Amino acid sequence: MPQPTPRRDTIRINDLLLTVPLLTGSIWPKPSGVAVVQPVLISLSIPHNISSTAATDDLSHTINYSLLCSALRDSLNDKTLPLESLESLSVQIFDILLGSNVSEAHLRIVQSRAPLNCKAVGVECISTRGSGMPWTTGYVKQFLEDLECSVIVGVNACEREERQVVRVNISVERWDSGLKRENWLDFRAMTRLLYEKITETSFQTLEALASFIAEETLHRLSAEKTNDLQVPPLVNVKAAKPSAIVFASSSEVEISRTYVDYPETFIRGTRMLVGDHNLASDIRIHTAALALGSNIGDRFYNIELALRLLETPEAILGTKDAIIAVVNTSFMYESAPMYVTDQPLFINCACMIETNLPPMALLKVLKLIETTVGRVPSVRNGPRAVDLDIIFYDDAVSDTRATPWQELDDLEGELVIPHPRSTEREFVLRPLNDMIPDFIHPRAQRSISTLLAALDIPPDIPSMHKVIPFPQCPPPSDYKFPHSVPLVPPTLTYWSLPSSPSPNLSRTRTNHQTRVMATLNMTPDSFSDGATHNTLPAALEYAQRAFAAGASILDVGGFSTRPGAAFVSVEEEIARVVPCVAAIRAGNAQLPLSVDTFRPEVARAAILAGANCINDVYSFTGQGSYPVQQSEGGDAGRCMSDMKSIAREFAVPVVLMHSRGDAGEDKDYDAYGYTGITGRVLEGVRVELGTKLDLIVKGKGGVRRWFVIVDPGIGFSKSLDGNLEVLRDAAAITADLHVGTGRDRRPNPLAGHPQLIGTSKKSFLGVILQQAGGTKVEPKERGWATAAAVACAVQQGAAIVRVHDTREMVDVVQVANALWSLRRD
Ligand SMILES: *[C@@H]1O[C@H](CO)[C@@H](O)[C@H](O)[C@H]1NC(C)=O
Ligand SMILES: *[C@@H]1O[C@H](CO)[C@@H](O)[C@H](O)[C@H]1NC(C)=O
Ligand SMILES: *[C@@H]1O[C@H](CO)[C@@H](O)[C@H](O)[C@H]1NC(C)=O
Ligand SMILES: *[C@@H]1O[C@H](CO)[C@@H](O)[C@H](O)[C@H]1NC(C)=O
Ligand SMILES: *[C@@H]1O[C@H](CO)[C@@H](O)[C@H](O)[C@H]1NC(C)=O
Ligand SMILES: *[C@@H]1O[C@H](CO)[C@@H](O)[C@H](O)[C@H]1NC(C)=O
């Protein structure tokens, strides 16, 4: 039952028009700080018991509104002293009311010549006072009306294609915080920001759009200084699609949100102690880019340890209040030292973090990590165990140095962001370019990719190359680990790769050297070697011969993924793989060994037996099918989180292959609407494998990007023509181009990743031979056919080719390398 409204008399003045010089919120602001005269409409409503006036019809008992209006006009209209904001205008109006006999007033100010794209902005507030006391403003509402954006929103096909108008009203309501300056809203900046953000969206529902707008608005407010006792602001969003329904004027959603509704984005403000800095964290999660470098000791170990300390700040701070998550990583590079030359080569990489720490507290944490990992103060730019720098912090520009000419290389305790040398150093820009190529450097005002290109590095003689470290698995038994973070295995060896595997899609020479992966199937039913190695002594001998012949890595598998192969239980797969891996590792401590499995239990057991790489034909999604579900639920989600945590725990490289469930099925790429300049199957591989790779690499708990090798999956869910298309143009899989069309267009998620290509003895080769010769060609007779395919893979810049006849294929790769690689000597 609706309650009857309390009886109350009110006197109103509606829409009194005044023109005032305002510094903010105009449609076209004048350059820096000149006020623009603008019309504002003022409405006042004053609760006032009119009974006595009504009874006597005597003016002396009421408020003289004509007097009030002229008082407002006289003191405000065409004033020459500029007003800073609508909020400061409100304060002035209440000051004028002090002279009257009014104890409560509701004020509404509307600026009708509002910033572009919206009809009106304004402020509403309620103030009260005891007699003879100053005003207390208990409620303030700032609002934006009819912000008009044209966006993609809706589920119907036509709504996905064409933009439609969406009208949005936004209000911010606050209690107890008055008209304080720190709560003033810059309506013009707010309108512009929201207009831009809203226009970029393409939600299916108005509900999601409204929620997004509320979150963005709160984001903007969260920069405010707040204290814990204050009631947080409430944001109301009304969004309407005027053209959605034919017989109604519009469909509309109205929501109210505050910080607690977005726990992922906002956390409650806490104070925390970091070192001797007592710093208040704010309620917002910030994004920062960090650069990491090491050139002493086990450089890969140092960097991995630094990252693990960063991910568990409580280990060094002793407080759980600091939040740091590594959410994206670059590739890893080895580069010649820039200024001092007679010292070991540097390893450099970068990561993106999300944190609630303010910049100075973050700097303190980085310094503590440097000390913990073992940085010894030494010659400037000299050897150091690990070096951590804040390159960007949101898009902040800040400099704590008292004297700006203080040396840039010796910023002891001071913080300059963006990092002062971030525009001139390849070892900073190149890793950043792997993650945020389009980010505009807040000081240089140019994108990272533009800055990198401007360095003008000669393409033939790159000063940096990519590296992939292989850890020692299992870690040596006498291995001591002094830190309170998950154990970091020491490094066994590492591979160097060209900094850009295919700088150019044309068939020019590059500086890569393709490596050979030998294959050992411990399956009685494997099609390619017909079960000749599935006894331990034979397997050992095979491994010895493969390494002697020149293989760089050996891949051991116990579950055939050949179409129609027999199911093997987890226990059986482990029983086949683990003794073999252990025996090979016992005989050869130095070479990388990978385990070919899609099961987390098998991967873990094999790593503990000595494998130090995971080769997974289902890219961490188990036997699940394409498309991958974003949610972490279900078998695919469980498999993914288990595989990710194993890969991270042991810091092993991973090979992610493109497949769509069962190898023999789903060969149709037309149905997915791929276009792509280089062919549909190539585009399908980039998009589908890219989706999985993003789930594996990005976000908290992701695998470091430098460990990820991609495999286009030749022979898996592809027709003969599809397989040929992929092999012929394999460089396009990892090229620096865009995938998707229209709103889905984005940089190639596989760009820059080293590639493994496996063609050995696969049935598409058999099909070609049979079409030409008329007779069936068995897998073991496909050696020469494989040689041709391997040569093509080398020419396309594959980092690794996976083969069975190692002796012969090493010769093929050596000749192909000589033909297509640019040797530097
Ligand atoms: C207004 O004042 C009269 C007496 O002057 C009183 O009887 C009446 O209750 C008041 N009304 C309200 C709503 O307070
Ligand atoms: C003005 O205030 C005084 C004291 O609060 C009160 O007695 C008087 O009635 C008020 N006059 C009007 C017109 O409200
Ligand atoms: C109200 O103000 C007008 C002039 O602004 C004046 O003429 C009139 O007498 C005032 N009324 C009362 C009751 O004070
Ligand atoms: C926004 O507010 C204006 C003025 O009150 C109103 O006319 C309009 O319908 C509102 N729009 C939405 C989407 O609620
Ligand atoms: C890496 O993460 C940042 C920050 O979350 C994001 O802006 C960027 O697009 C990511 N880059 C890649 C290549 O995924
Ligand atoms: C690729 O290489 C060809 C031949 O060397 C050259 O003409 C072309 O400009 C290069 N393209 C790019 C994008 O570098």
Side-chain angles (χ1 to χ4, degrees):
M1 280 289 283
Q3 298 294 311
T5 41
R7 284 160 16 115
R8 197 170 179 186
D9 303 339
T10 307
I11 289 177
R12 284 207 181 85
I13 297 171
N14 288 327
D15 294 337
L16 171 67
L17 178 68
L18 297 179
T19 56
V20 291
L22 264 179
L23 284 169
T24 58
S26 56
I27 303 184
W28 305 112
K30 298 246 167 75
S32 63
V34 181
V36 180
V37 174
Q38 288 168 74
V40 292
L41 294 171
I42 298 190
S43 305
L44 255 179
S45 107
I46 299 170
H48 181 71
N49 190 342
I50 62 154
S51 336
S52 51
T53 313
T56 58
D57 204 15
D58 175 359
L59 261 174
S60 66
H61 292 285
T62 191
I63 289 169
N64 192 335
Y65 18 97
S66 117
L67 208 59
L68 199 54
C69 287
S70 42
L72 292 176
R73 242 195 237 104
D74 290 349
S75 21
L76 296 171
N77 208 24
D78 297 327
K79 234 180 90 165
T80 46
L81 205 65
L83 287 160
E84 285 184 84
S85 67
L86 292 182
E87 292 86 347
S88 69
L89 177 58
S90 311
V91 172
Q92 295 221 2
I93 290 173
F94 282 116
D95 282 350
I96 292 163
L97 288 178
L98 274 179
S100 71
N101 205 5
V102 174
S103 62
E104 177 178 346
H106 300 214
L107 172 66
R108 179 180 159 94
I109 305 177
V110 179
Q111 186 180 337
S112 48
R113 302 269 297 157
L116 275 187
N117 309 312
C118 82
K119 265 216 193 85
V121 298
V123 174
E124 234 177 276
C125 41
I126 301 176
S127 298
T128 50
R129 63 172 182 142
S131 65
M133 300 288 285
W135 290 104
T136 309
T137 304
Y139 169 86
V140 179
K141 172 168 150 187
Q142 294 146 319
F143 56 88
L144 271 167
E145 274 175 2
D146 285 327
L147 175 60
E148 201 170 285
C149 304
S150 74
V151 294
I152 299 285
V153 60
V155 285
N156 301 331
C158 55
E159 290 182 306
R160 300 306 305 159
E161 269 163 29
E162 256 182 273
R163 286 169 178 274
Q164 60 179 308
V165 168
V166 167
R167 287 211 185 90
V168 186
N169 285 3
I170 302 158
S171 73
V172 179
E173 288 177 281
R174 290 191 175 86
W175 293 264
D176 319 325
S177 58
L179 285 164
K180 286 199 221 89
R181 176 178 287 263
E182 56 262 35
N183 295 336
W184 292 1
L185 208 60
D186 180 345
F187 286 101
R188 185 180 149 79
M190 182 81 144
T191 314
R192 270 175 61 163
L193 175 101
L194 289 174
Y195 180 79
E196 276 163 23
K197 297 263 179 187
I198 295 170
T199 310
E200 279 169 16
T201 62
S202 60
F203 290 105
Q204 313 257 358
T205 60
L206 209 49
E207 288 84 341
L209 178 63
S211 173
F212 170 83
I213 296 168
E215 185 177 355
E216 285 300 320
T217 309
L218 284 163
H219 230 145
R220 179 99 206 154
L221 303 177
S222 67
E224 293 171 356
K225 302 223 177 359
T226 50
N227 67 57
D228 282 347
L229 300 174
Q230 202 166 291
V231 183
L234 185 69
V235 169
N236 304 288
V237 174
K238 272 199 247 177
K241 288 202 292 192
S243 33
I245 303 172
V246 178
F247 298 108
S249 69
S250 69
S251 58
E252 186 177 295
V253 167
E254 176 172 1
I255 60 169
S256 297
R257 292 287 182 274
T258 187
Y259 296 125
V260 291
D261 298 313
Y262 302 95
E264 296 282 294
T265 314
F266 306 101
I267 53 146
R268 292 296 304 144
T270 48
R271 290 190 77 79
M272 68 182 74
L273 201 63
V274 176
D276 359 317
H277 295 248
N278 186 2
L279 292 151
S281 72
D282 66 37
I283 48 179
R284 188 174 155 191
I285 296 288
H286 300 270
T287 306
L290 308 182
L292 297 93
S294 173
N295 76 336
I296 202 168
D298 184 342
R299 300 166 297 168
F300 305 101
Y301 167 94
N302 293 341
I303 284 183
E304 181 62 32
L305 175 57
L307 287 170
R308 290 187 190 191
L309 288 167
L310 193 61
E311 288 169 325
T312 42
E314 65 265 27
I316 44 172
L317 294 177
T319 165
K320 286 196 192 301
D321 289 339
I323 297 173
I324 303 178
V326 173
V327 294
N328 206 343
T329 38
S330 69
F331 292 105
M332 190 176 254
Y333 298 88
E334 189 170 52
S335 50
M338 215 166 154
Y339 304 106
V340 186
T341 48
D342 58 342
Q343 48 168 272
L345 296 179
F346 263 98
I347 294 294
N348 290 105
C349 60
C351 67
M352 305 296 297
I353 60 163
E354 286 176 1
T355 183
N356 64 340
L357 293 175
M360 282 309 284
L362 180 60
L363 180 67
K364 183 79 190 174
V365 170
L366 300 189
K367 295 294 147 199
L368 282 171
I369 293 174
E370 287 181 351
T371 320
T372 311
V373 179
R375 178 182 185 175
V376 267
S378 62
V379 244
R380 185 180 309 157
N381 293 316
R384 54 192 56 169
V386 78
D387 203 11
L388 297 167
D389 284 309
I390 305 174
I391 307 297
F392 302 121
Y393 184 92
D394 295 333
D395 43 17
V397 176
S398 133
D399 189 341
T400 62
R401 291 169 301 166
T403 47
W405 49 86
Q406 185 179 339
E407 265 198 84
L408 287 177
D409 284 319
D410 187 16
L411 290 169
E412 249 5 277
E414 303 290 349
L415 181 63
V416 184
I417 33 180
H419 195 274
R421 290 284 163 79
S422 54
T423 54
E424 64 181 61
R425 290 178 174 174
E426 184 190 359
F427 65 79
V428 175
L429 288 175
R430 193 172 289 287
L432 288 177
N433 189 60
D434 298 333
M435 301 184 296
I436 44 169
D438 300 327
F439 179 77
I440 305 292
H441 190 291
R443 206 185 283 275
Q445 286 298 319
R446 285 191 294 163
S447 71
I448 300 298
S449 57
T450 312
L451 289 168
L452 180 62
L455 289 182
D456 205 18
I457 303 143
D460 295 355
I461 319 151
S463 53
M464 300 174 74
H465 51 260
K466 285 187 183 136
V467 286
I468 308 180
F470 289 85
Q472 190 173 340
C473 290
S477 54
D478 58 348
Y479 180 59
K480 295 232 171 23
F481 195 75
H483 308 289
S484 54
V485 293
L487 182 139
V488 181
T491 309
L492 182 70
T493 183
Y494 71 102
W495 288 357
S496 298
L497 307 161
S499 75
S500 150
S502 48
N504 193 317
L505 291 183
S506 70
R507 280 143 212 223
T508 49
R509 305 202 305 171
T510 61
N511 63 345
H512 79 267
Q513 291 283 319
T514 302
R515 287 179 171 79
V516 171
M517 172 187 268
T519 313
L520 180 54
N521 288 307
M522 297 303 288
T523 54
D525 61 343
S526 175
F527 70 96
S528 51
D529 49 25
T532 49
H533 308 306
N534 59 350
T535 58
L536 213 48
L540 268 176
E541 196 198 319
Y542 177 88
Q544 298 296 5
R545 273 192 283 117
F547 287 135
S552 302
I553 181 169
L554 179 68
D555 192 33
V556 182
F559 188 161
S560 173
T561 44
R562 175 176 61 97
F567 177 84
V568 177
S569 69
V570 173
E571 296 71 26
E572 172 66 18
E573 195 184 347
I574 291 177
R576 287 178 185 179
V577 168
V578 165
C580 175
V581 167
I584 296 169
R585 181 53 81 209
N588 189 326
Q590 286 312 309
L591 282 155
L593 275 179
S594 74
V595 54
D596 178 358
T597 189
F598 55 86
R599 286 166 163 166
E601 302 87 342
V602 180
R604 175 178 287 276
I607 289 171
L608 290 173
N612 54 359
C613 177
I614 300 171
N615 181 12
D616 181 356
V617 296
Y618 297 122
S619 294
F620 293 6
T621 51
Q623 277 173 300
S625 54
Y626 182 82
V628 215
Q629 294 303 311
Q630 289 281 341
S631 71
E632 289 282 308
D635 286 346
R638 237 193 329 277
C639 181
M640 169 147 310
S641 71
D642 288 354
M643 283 298 237
K644 272 164 81 170
S645 69
I646 293 167
R648 276 177 56 106
E649 177 180 347
F650 297 101
V652 290
V654 298
V655 182
L656 303 178
M657 196 190 80
H658 172 261
S659 62
R660 294 170 159 181
D662 191 19
E665 284 166 18
D666 201 4
K667 300 182 176 181
D668 182 7
Y669 287 73
D670 293 343
Y672 295 91
Y674 296 130
T675 49
I677 45 161
T678 52
R680 277 175 203 186
V681 184
L682 287 162
E683 176 79 351
V685 172
R686 286 189 296 254
V687 169
E688 294 168 18
L689 184 55
T691 307
K692 294 184 184 176
L693 185 142
D694 278 350
L695 287 173
I696 292 165
V697 168
K698 290 207 231 170
K700 190 177 174 186
V703 171
R704 324 273 183 228
R705 186 176 300 277
W706 52 80
F707 285 127
V708 179
I709 298 162
V710 299
D711 177 342
I714 287 172
F716 285 79
S717 311
K718 293 169 192 75
S719 65
L720 172 60
D721 285 344
N723 283 312
L724 291 175
E725 177 188 318
V726 170
L727 181 56
R728 186 187 299 124
D729 274 324
I733 300 280
T734 52
D736 196 1
L737 39 74
H738 281 73
V739 300
T741 50
R743 299 192 65 83
D744 292 329
R745 194 175 141 85
R746 61 191 187 283
N748 179 8
L750 306 183
H753 283 273
Q755 225 177 135
L756 180 150
I757 294 181
T759 52
S760 189
K761 303 189 175 178
K762 281 182 176 164
S763 64
F764 81 104
L765 299 173
V767 172
I768 297 171
L769 297 180
Q770 184 167 5
Q771 280 174 355
T775 51
K776 190 161 163 41
V777 180
E778 291 303 323
K780 62 177 185 310
E781 299 168 303
R782 294 176 195 156
W784 296 104
T786 301
V790 164
C792 179
V794 172
Q795 183 265 339
Q796 283 297 301
I800 312 159
V801 286
R802 186 177 182 273
V803 302
H804 295 95
D805 305 323
T806 314
R807 180 71 273 291
E808 295 78 1
M809 293 309 140
V810 165
D811 285 356
V812 172
V813 167
Q814 269 164 1
V815 173
N817 269 342
L819 277 168
W820 286 298
S821 297
L822 188 73
R823 275 175 202 284
R824 293 204 286 130
D825 41 23

